[in-house]
Amino acid sequence: MSLYDDAVLVLKGYEGQRELRQDYLDHLAAHPDGMWKACHAGHVTASALVIDPERGRVLLTLHGKLRMWLQMGGHCEPGDASLAAAALREATEESGIPGLTLLAGGPVRLDRHAIPPPCHCHFDVQYAAVAAPDAAHAISDESLDLRWFPYGEVVEVADESVVRLVEATRARLGV
């Protein structure tokens, strides 16, 4: 199965955010290359919020280009077998934490956002990745800093999209 086909299946199976989900599906139907950065009309990206549920915290990256505290994530690559695999790869690369596992249940939420040129629009499919409580992180080349934040402090450092992702993840966890 191609990454495009996987994305369509994942999105069709995602039960939340119905209008936005349909926008994603419509975009992919109109743009067969909509999974790739080269699609300047916008493209699907995959991200994952790294969480430590035992300690009630999330790991955020201070993005090097955007200079914002964000979840780990980015563009899909030809070697990605699925959106979930792309999100897990991005989370592992950007956090430096081996052995992350995606939270069961598929994507936690969707977030469409504009990015400064040359990218125009990201149709982000957001997952949550669970880290062990003793996991050691390492800053990647794409990041200025990595830091654990208690759930309640995210609102003080991150934008509304990250806050909504934390809230949706906590709802999925039941905390």
Side-chain angles (χ1 to χ4, degrees), residues 51-117:
I51 60 172
D52 173 359
E54 288 187 30
R55 294 186 179 166
R57 61 188 188 159
V58 300
L59 183 67
L60 298 179
T61 179
L62 184 56
H63 194 278
K65 290 181 183 173
L66 300 175
R67 300 195 183 278
M68 299 170 60
W69 287 104
L70 301 170
Q71 75 276 12
M72 316 302 154
H75 296 105
C76 296
E77 295 180 1
D80 294 327
S82 65
L83 277 177
L88 190 58
R89 174 186 51 74
E90 286 285 342
T92 301
E93 287 175 0
E94 293 183 16
S95 71
I97 301 174
L100 295 171
T101 57
L102 292 182
L103 196 60
V108 175
R109 70 182 317 275
L110 306 175
D111 185 77
R112 179 178 51 203
H113 50 270
I115 298 290

